[in-house]
Amino acid sequence: MRKEYAKMDAALLHQTNKKVILKLIKEKSQISRSELSRATGLTPPTITRIVNELVDSEGIAEYVGVGNSSGGRPPVIVKFKYESNCIIGIDLGATYIRGCLVDLNANFISEIQVPTEIERGFDSIIEKVVQVINKLQKRKEKDARIWGVGIGVAGLVHSETGIIESSPDFGWSNVSLREVLEKKLDVPFFYDNSTRLMALCELKLGERQNLKNFTVINFGYGIASGLVIEGNLVKGYAGFAGEFGHIVVDTNSKVQCKCGMYGCLEALASGHRIANRGKAEMENGNADLLKDLCNNNSNLVTAEQVARAAKMGDVACLKIYDEVSEYLCKGIGTIANLLNPQTVYIGGGISLSGQFLFDLIENKKSKYLLPANINVQILPSSFGEQTTEIGAVSLVLDKIMNLELSAKKIGFK
Ligand SMILES: [Zn+2]
């Protein structure tokens, strides 16, 4: 028994050392074996054995010759082999399906965007996802390998099982993405909620990766948040943390939310609400500029058109954004006073309305923040519309860096 424990400890120690070495090679891009030994305190033979595994078995590192010697044996240089190893990230949204093929440094190789056409139903949407993945697979270099596909979905997604327990945007409940996709594609899949992946994207690949406490708000046709506390992505007891859109911001409101409650932030400030308010203003004879933009057809009103009209000076549309930003600030105040984040990122389609939205938020936020939280920074997300798909990439990259995906398991030769 004791021997078995010793064996297990040795295997665990080996994996831990291997992770540390892989991380160092990735961070430095290229580094000598002797530097690895100095940085980790591991002996040169241990370093050589581990690096050889990363080169020969995993194929994610390579030897690139020897460096200059300052006396003694010249150092052997090892490099992170990011170019010929790829990941596919998918943002399965209610409006668009976006997919990207990237290398292990998240450099874009190819990107595809197709309309979701939600009204055509589950099978059609899955078929489109499969087509996007198939096309991206074909765009890799001949010898490159695809380690996995990360998928971000709007809704309550169980990250282990791939079951979408509920997605009001799609009208799905208890559907298994994993089951249908595994039948159609021969590549590992990983899933999570699209907003949590936006937070993972900022944490792992964003412009300010040193932040340990921040919130990402996905401000689109729905509203949700991804929370990072002390450097960890918060999932909650059952994986459904971050339902920021269902904070009640007006207890007297008669506007019912998709969740059944009244006066939720999502009911009063989402893209749907902005579009509906714009439509109503136009039908009441207001919003002349919006009327022009939509050719006097209220069915063509979208949140984006309301934003365009507001920027052009349409008073009714400016009033809509003024109200929406007020509600949003109430929500931000709640979350900032509760969690004390350093930064609140705002991403999602409506966040692209323009600087005027961020100016409105900046002007209103202090009403809802305690003095201790007044300096919270409110910034646009680092990658705009691509944040979720890059977050989906991070999900797979994390598995690779944690050695949870091995070349052997995937069947690479
Ligand atoms: Zn709600």
Side-chain angles (χ1 to χ4, degrees), residues 64 93 101 109 165 168 172-173 179 187 241 259 265 285 300:
V64 286
L101 174 73
I109 297 163
E165 306 210 359
W172 296 342
S173 61
E179 208 176 283
V187 61
C259 73
L265 179 60
L300 297 179

Side-chain angles (χ1 to χ4, degrees), residues 243 245-248 256-267:
E243 288 299 323
H246 303 283
I247 293 176
V248 175
Q256 191 173 23
C257 181
K258 279 185 289 190
C259 73
M261 298 194 291
Y262 289 83
C264 288
L265 179 60
E266 182 166 302

